[in-house]
Amino acid sequence: MKKIKNDGSYYLNPYLGGVILGTFLFLAFYISGRGLGASGAVKNSVAATVNVIAPGHVANSAYYSQFAGGDKQPMSNWLVFEVLGVLAGAFFSGIIFNRLKFKVEHSPKITSRRRLVFALAGGLIFGFGSQLARGCTSGAALSGMAVLSFGGYITMIAIFGTAFVAAWIFRKNWI
Amino acid sequence: MERKYTILAILLIVLALGLVILPKKNELKETDPKVLLSEAVQKSRYLTVDQVTHRIIENDPTLMLIDLRKADQYKTFALPGSLNIPPDSLLSKTNMELFSQPGKDKVLYGNADLTAEKAWLLCSRYALKRIYIMKGGMNEWFTTIVSEKPVSGTPSTADLDLVSFRKAARMFLIGTGETASTSAAVTVKEKVQVIRKAPKAAAGGGC
Amino acid sequence: MIGSIISSGMVSPAWDNLFAVILGMGFGFALEASGFSSSRKIIGTFFGYDFVVVKVFFTAAIVASLGLLYFSYLGLVDFSTLYIQPTFLTSAIVGGIIMGIGFAMGGFCPGTSLCATAVGRIDGLVFFGGMFIGVFLFSESFPIFENMYYSGSQGAKMINTVFGISPELFTFFLVLAAIGMFVGAGRIQKNIKKIEY
C-alpha cells in the first residue's frame, strides 16, 4: 500500500511500522533491559551543560545531582547514544521515503512564524511535563506499556486524554 | 484489503490467547531425578568435621552452618555462628530464601547423618546450590574435636598436625586445651546476620 | 541467553552503548517511516483524519508486550532485570496532563520531534529546542515540585495487579481493545473529510 504523495514521498503501512517499532522496543528490553526514550537525553544534556557552566549549582540542586556532577557522566549515557541513533535512523528513513527537505510544516491557515512560536511553547511545556512524569510518550508511556507498568498506562491516558481536549482548543493551528 | 487485516487481527488474538491458555509453569525449579541421583552418589557433598572447624576458626564468611537438631539441644550447645532450623520448617519461605543466598556454602548437620542427608536431598531437589553435609554430625564433632580420639600406631606428621589443630580448636571454641568432658556447655552464639537476597539492580531510568 | 542480555553478564556492558545506537536507529526509522516526522499527520489523530499514531503506538506496545511475555514464558527473559517504570500516581497524571497540552500545541512528542529534525523539519527542531528550556525550567524550579514529584509512589507496579489478573490475561484484553480501536479508527476516518498535509 503505497500512497505516493505529490512530492514523491510515501509512508509505511502504520501496522507494519508498529510491528517494526514494537520489535525494536522488545529488543531494547531484551538486550539492554530498558525501554526506548527521548526526553531523558534532553535531561542529561541540560544537566551536563549546567554542570559545565555552574558545577556548584549542580552539586547543590536536588534534581541535577541525581544524574550529573561528581564522577557521573551525563553525556555518556545509554539514552544519549540511543537518541543519536534515532537521528541517524530517521535520516535514513527520510532518504528512503524521499522526505528530506528543509521546511516548516504548518496548516495553510497560519503563518510559519505562528507555527514556530507554538512549536517552541509546546516543546517547553512538553519538556517540563516529561520531567515531572519521569518520561515522555516513548520513555514512560510506550516503554511502560510494553512491560505493563501501571505508571506507563496512567501517563499514556493522561497525555492522550488531555491532548484530545487541548487539540480542540488549538484547532485553528491545525485544520 | 479488509481481509488481510482481518487475518492479521485473528493472528494477534490467537497469539494473545495462546499466552493465556498455555499451562502455567511450575515456578519452583526442580532437579531432574537422574541428575539428583548422580549428585547423591557423589561424596563431594560431605565436609569433614575438621574442615568445618577450620572454617569456623578462620571466620570464613562463605560458611553458613545449619543446625537441624531440636531447639533445646541447640540451646545447650551449638557451633558458633550456626542457625537452628528444625527439619519441619526446612522448606518455609524464609528458609528457602536463606538457602538460595548466592556465595554461601550451606553446611547441614544433625546429631548424626540421617537428618542432614534427608535435608540435603530435599534442598538439592529444589535445585539449591552449594549444600553440604558435615559428615557424622554433632556426635562426630564431639568425638573428634572435644574428646580427642587417640591416634593409633605411629602417628605421621599429618596426624600430628591434625592433633595439634584439634587441640587449638578446642582451645578456641571451648576454652580449654584439655580433653573436655561432654558437659562443657559452651555457646559462642553470635547474632547471625541474615542477608536477604537483594533485588537485582534494574537498569536505570527510562525516558 | 537469558535477557536482558546486558544484566546477564554475557556481553560486556561496554557494548551497551553500541546497542543503544543500533536500537535508536531502528526506533527512529520506524517512527519516521510511519510518518511521525509530520506534526500534521500526528495531530490528525485528535481530529480524526489520520489515526496513524493510535495504530503505530498500540501495535508497537502489543508486539513488545507479547514478545516479552512469550520470552518470559520460555525462560529467556527475566522480568526482574527489566526496567519497569515506577508508578508515582500524582506526578504521572499531572505530568501527563502538562505533556498533553504541549502535545496539542507543538504537535510533536520528544521522539518524533527528533525524527522531524532529522528530515529537516524546522518546527521539529524548534520543538526540540523548546524542550531544553522546559527541562531547564523544571530542574531550576524542582524544589517547588519536589513534593509532587515524589508523592503517590507505588513502586514498579504492574497494571495487571491493579485488576487482579495475570499479565497474560491483561495482554489478551489489551489486544482485543486495540483491535476494536483500529476498527473504530478506520470507520471514523472514512467519514471525515480528508485533509491534505
Side-chain angles (χ1 to χ4, degrees):
Chain A
M1 187 185 75
K2 275 188 194 174
K3 266 193 233 156
I4 298 184
K5 301 211 301 189
N6 303 336
D7 57 358
S9 76
Y10 61 95
Y11 296 112
L12 220 56
N13 180 312
Y15 298 113
L16 179 59
V19 170
I20 296 174
L21 183 57
T23 308
F24 275 97
L25 185 57
F26 163 74
L27 285 175
F29 276 110
Y30 182 57
I31 295 172
S32 299
R34 59 194 300 165
L36 299 161
S39 62
V42 177
K43 174 182 80 181
N44 280 311
S45 311
V46 169
T49 315
V50 178
N51 194 26
V52 169
I53 298 166
H57 180 58
V58 167
N60 292 329
S61 159
Y63 196 65
Y64 289 134
S65 56
Q66 292 173 29
F67 30 79
D71 50 2
K72 296 191 187 79
Q73 293 180 306
M75 289 315 278
S76 174
N77 177 284
W78 195 90
L79 282 165
V80 175
F81 285 99
E82 186 242 34
V83 157
L84 294 177
V86 170
L87 279 172
F91 185 73
F92 284 136
S93 165
I95 296 171
I96 294 171
F97 297 100
N98 202 9
R99 252 193 305 277
L100 285 186
K101 194 179 165 192
F102 280 109
K103 69 171 181 187
V104 178
E105 199 183 284
H106 60 86
S107 162
K109 290 174 195 158
I110 60 168
T111 60
S112 306
R113 195 190 156 86
R114 185 180 159 91
R115 167 74 189 117
L116 290 182
V117 169
F118 270 92
L120 186 71
L124 195 156
I125 293 170
F126 211 120
F128 192 95
S130 72
Q131 294 314 297
L132 190 56
R134 295 174 171 73
C136 57
T137 16
S138 32
L142 185 58
S143 304
M145 281 170 73
V147 287
L148 309 180
S149 153
F150 181 53
Y153 277 87
I154 293 291
T155 312
M156 186 272 293
I157 292 166
I159 294 176
F160 282 94
T162 314
F164 263 107
V165 179
W168 189 79
I169 298 168
F170 297 111
R171 65 189 179 282
K172 286 206 177 108
N173 287 343
W174 301 109
I175 51 173
Chain B
M1 209 59 207
E2 281 294 324
R3 233 181 94 199
K4 208 166 76 182
Y5 285 129
T6 315
I7 293 169
L8 281 173
I10 290 169
L11 182 73
L12 253 184
I13 293 176
V14 169
L15 272 175
L17 198 63
L19 268 180
V20 178
I21 57 173
L22 273 175
K24 290 288 157 285
K25 266 190 309 187
N26 196 351
E27 286 295 314
L28 214 53
K29 276 185 286 183
E30 273 197 66
T31 313
D32 180 34
K34 281 179 187 155
V35 179
L36 192 59
L37 179 67
S38 74
E39 277 173 15
V41 294
Q42 274 172 20
K43 295 283 176 222
S44 59
R45 68 177 183 281
Y46 293 122
L47 295 176
T48 65
V49 283
D50 288 312
Q51 282 171 324
V52 174
T53 314
H54 210 277
R55 290 174 69 170
I56 294 173
I57 293 168
E58 278 180 342
N59 233 334
D60 190 337
T62 61
L63 183 71
M64 192 161 114
L65 292 168
I66 291 158
D67 196 323
L68 298 164
R69 295 173 307 157
K70 292 200 180 73
D72 54 329
Q73 288 178 323
Y74 175 78
K75 273 193 199 111
T76 325
F77 182 82
L79 295 179
S82 60
L83 279 171
N84 186 216
I85 295 176
D88 54 347
S89 67
L90 186 72
L91 298 177
S92 75
K93 201 164 173 256
T94 32
N95 288 339
M96 288 294 272
E97 261 177 48
L98 205 65
F99 286 135
S100 47
Q101 277 187 67
K104 289 250 185 197
D105 290 334
K106 277 72 72 174
V107 181
L108 306 166
Y109 60 88
N111 274 325
D113 273 343
L114 193 63
T115 343
E117 284 281 7
K118 278 193 238 168
W120 180 88
L121 203 61
L122 280 168
C123 288
S124 303
R125 198 171 146 200
Y126 280 120
L128 298 167
K129 297 273 173 268
R130 297 174 77 165
I131 309 281
Y132 298 94
I133 295 170
M134 182 167 82
K135 184 80 181 132
M138 275 314 267
N139 291 343
E140 178 73 13
W141 192 83
F142 258 99
T143 44
T144 319
I145 307 288
V146 182
S147 44
E148 188 184 351
K149 252 190 275 182
V151 183
S152 53
T154 321
S156 67
T157 337
D159 283 341
L160 285 174
D161 279 352
L162 202 58
V163 169
S164 59
F165 162 71
R166 285 172 186 165
K167 195 173 169 185
R170 224 169 16 245
M171 207 59 162
F172 182 83
L173 295 167
I174 306 180
T176 163
E178 299 315 306
T179 315
S181 63
T182 39
S183 64
V186 183
T187 34
V188 203
K189 262 186 274 176
E190 292 164 16
K191 177 115 180 68
V192 179
Q193 269 194 321
V194 177
I195 306 157
R196 294 249 179 274
K197 206 159 74 173
K200 274 176 209 153
C207 177
Chain C
M1 286 223 265
I2 294 169
S4 64
I5 289 174
I6 295 296
S7 75
S8 74
M10 299 219 29
V11 180
S12 152
W15 286 84
D16 208 12
N17 288 338
L18 179 69
F19 286 126
V21 175
I22 297 168
L23 291 166
M25 283 173 75
F27 185 40
F29 182 87
L31 284 179
E32 212 289 330
S34 315
F36 279 31
S37 61
S38 159
S39 57
R40 296 197 71 207
K41 196 170 169 68
I42 294 174
I43 221 77
T45 300
F46 305 119
F47 300 108
Y49 61 81
D50 196 329
F51 281 106
V52 67
V53 172
V54 172
K55 291 173 185 168
V56 173
F57 198 84
F58 278 92
T59 313
I62 287 171
V63 168
S65 285
L66 283 179
L68 285 172
L69 285 175
Y70 266 104
F71 266 53
S72 165
Y73 182 81
L74 298 172
L76 296 169
V77 164
D78 181 0
F79 250 77
S80 67
T81 63
L82 305 184
Y83 174 77
I84 293 174
Q85 177 86 1
T87 303
F88 289 83
L89 211 51
T90 323
S91 63
I93 293 173
V94 176
I97 289 172
I98 295 173
M99 281 193 273
I101 296 168
F103 197 3
M105 283 174 80
F108 288 117
C109 62
T112 56
S113 76
L114 269 172
C115 294
T117 309
V119 294
R121 299 294 178 273
I122 294 154
D123 43 340
L125 183 65
V126 170
F127 183 96
F128 195 62
M131 275 181 44
F132 278 84
I133 306 172
V135 172
F136 179 72
L137 286 180
F138 178 82
S139 309
E140 291 303 319
S141 56
F142 182 64
I144 304 170
F145 297 98
E146 195 166 357
N147 277 333
M148 190 194 282
Y149 188 73
Y150 290 114
S151 68
S153 167
Q154 307 194 357
K157 193 175 182 180
M158 309 251 296
I159 189 161
N160 56 291
T161 60
V162 176
F163 298 114
I165 55 176
S166 72
E168 292 83 7
L169 196 61
F170 177 82
T171 311
F172 177 66
F173 288 131
L174 180 69
V175 167
L176 291 186
I179 290 172
M181 257 190 285
F182 297 156
V183 173
R187 295 248 168 92
I188 294 171
Q189 207 168 331
K190 263 185 202 158
N191 299 327
I192 282 187
K193 189 170 63 110
K194 284 272 180 297
I195 287 179
E196 194 52 50
Y197 45 86

